[in-house]
Amino acid sequence: MGTYLHRMQDFLNIDTYHFSDDQLDSLLEEMLENIGHTDPEIRDDLIFNSFVKLILKDYVTKEQTIYILQKCMSEQYLFFNIEDKTIGDSVFTRSFSALVIATILYKDATTRNLSSELVLYAIHVGIEYLLLEQDYRGYVEEKGGGT
């Protein structure tokens, strides 16, 4: 993950940073795999902020945006261990997936790149998540923000 962390930090610091298609695809996969990382510097400062910049500044293609959205709406992300009644770290994966979904929908409100069916599905999934989520912590000592 070290190489990707350096690329993300460089990306956040340089407005004209350029990725090859393969680099960006690999970076997106690495970011998705670590979206719920328990280190707030990695999760909040690098991964989430990079998602926001990639999405809002049009670094990602429509296809990549759809891929990220579908991945974040899945059982392994937005609903990851949601039925588990113990208070654990899975809340980070769920809450930061929700934030990425919200960022994509925010961007789409002005660009209208996504199909209305996909947007409506994302809203439906978001409502389902809100009804199921039981971990309402907003901050976890030593691990930073949650939902």
Side-chain angles (χ1 to χ4, degrees), residues 83-98:
E83 305 269 330
D84 187 359
K85 299 298 181 203
T86 62
I87 301 298
D89 293 334
S90 59
V91 69
F92 295 117
T93 299
R94 295 192 304 270
S95 60
F96 281 86
S97 295

Side-chain angles (χ1 to χ4, degrees), residues 17-46:
Y17 197 87
H18 177 73
F19 294 103
S20 71
D21 290 342
D22 289 342
Q23 285 176 325
L24 186 54
D25 287 342
S26 296
L27 181 62
L28 291 171
E29 283 301 325
E30 190 74 23
M31 290 167 61
L32 285 164
E33 287 174 21
N34 289 284
I35 198 168
H37 202 287
T38 56
D39 182 335
E41 287 184 27
I42 293 173
R43 183 191 62 243
D44 301 9
D45 299 341
L46 289 178

Side-chain angles (χ1 to χ4, degrees), residues 61-71 113-114 118:
T61 65
K62 177 181 176 180
E63 291 76 22
Q64 288 167 325
T65 301
I66 292 170
Y67 177 77
I68 295 165
L69 180 60
Q70 290 175 332
K71 198 88 158 162
N113 284 331
L114 303 176
L118 182 56

